[in-house]
Amino acid sequence: MIKLDNIEKVYRTSRVETVALMNINLEVKEGEFISIMGPSGCGKSTLLNLMGLLDAPTKGQLLINGKEITSYKDKYLANLRNQEIGFIFQSFHLVNDLSVLDNVEIPLLYRKISSSQRRQMALKALEHVGLTARIYHFPSQLSGGQQQRVAIARAIVGRPKILLADEPTGNLDSKMGEEVMNLLVGLNEEKTTIVMVTHDKRMAERTKRIVRIFDGRQVG
């Protein structure tokens, strides 16, 4: 489903060159749930951004569903992100001025579907994460765990095949973190492919495979 072949990512300015990733060879198969671990600054989030088509590699091949995507134009990649990939972030990234329901609908605004269909899809996603009683609340009225569940609903509302999660339990206490992790495990059991960056060994051990990154290199 996702394949990285000899991937390298280098950031260059007029004065300095920073190698963020080097010689990454990784394949994520359909239905897998893998975690990416490593110290801060080792390249974990950069790797996730490449998988999510938010950035492009400097060298190497990146394939999604067997298609080498680095040669495609931005419009195609944006459509692929919207249709195939869901994102969950550590800091939730909810819009404070929008209700829970409106936040979840956001990814669907870029699709050619009716407002009533968007509403039904958003309600179904919120039911999936157990928040149907909070649809008219605003993010400031929710706990951290509830906000992350809204973020998960927003990530899955378009029924993506791939879910990318960057420290999804990092800002939560242990109880709320377990609730969010249980949701992710449940989504994986429903055949969603998940790649998760985490510092938490306990959470990583609940995934099917752990990939370790150190100083931009894959070490395990």
Side-chain angles (χ1 to χ4, degrees), residues 4 6-11 18-26 36-47 50 211-220:
L4 299 96
N6 199 28
I7 289 291
E8 180 178 305
K9 181 62 183 178
V10 180
Y11 294 100
T18 303
V19 179
L21 294 170
M22 181 173 287
N23 194 32
I24 301 295
N25 293 281
L26 176 63
I36 300 173
M37 297 193 74
S40 296
C42 73
K44 301 186 303 297
S45 293
T46 299
L47 180 56
L50 293 179
V211 175
R212 301 185 187 277
I213 304 294
F214 186 80
D215 285 349
R217 295 177 181 271
Q218 187 176 342
V219 294

Side-chain angles (χ1 to χ4, degrees), residues 191-207:
K191 308 305 181 185
T192 302
T193 302
I194 304 178
V195 180
M196 177 181 72
V197 164
T198 183
H199 280 98
D200 192 326
K201 184 179 179 181
R202 294 177 303 111
M203 300 303 177
E205 287 174 346
R206 295 188 63 185
T207 68

Side-chain angles (χ1 to χ4, degrees), residues 87-164:
F87 298 90
I88 304 170
F89 304 97
Q90 179 177 357
S91 299
F92 319 136
H93 292 317
L94 302 178
V95 181
N96 290 326
D97 294 335
L98 295 181
S99 70
V100 163
L101 188 58
D102 288 338
N103 264 282
V104 174
E105 281 191 31
I106 288 175
L108 302 178
L109 297 175
Y110 302 95
R111 299 190 183 186
K112 294 179 180 180
I113 59 177
S114 67
S115 59
S116 60
Q117 188 177 355
R118 287 199 307 268
R119 184 59 50 101
Q120 289 303 312
M121 291 173 70
L123 287 170
K124 186 173 182 180
L126 285 163
E127 181 181 4
H128 203 118
V129 301
L131 283 179
T132 50
R134 302 280 186 170
I135 61 173
Y136 297 118
H137 284 66
F138 291 88
S140 61
Q141 297 173 304
L142 305 177
S143 68
Q146 288 170 333
Q147 289 186 61
Q148 191 61 294
R149 282 194 277 161
V150 174
I152 292 173
R154 181 184 59 194
I156 67 173
V157 69
R159 305 179 186 124
K161 296 178 181 178
I162 300 167
L163 201 55
L164 304 178

Side-chain angles (χ1 to χ4, degrees), residues 76-86 107 110-113 158-162:
Y76 174 86
L77 297 180
N79 184 64
L80 186 61
R81 279 195 300 271
N82 184 259
Q83 297 287 333
E84 301 284 344
I85 303 171
Y110 302 95
R111 299 190 183 186
K112 294 179 180 180
I113 59 177
R159 305 179 186 124
K161 296 178 181 178
I162 300 167

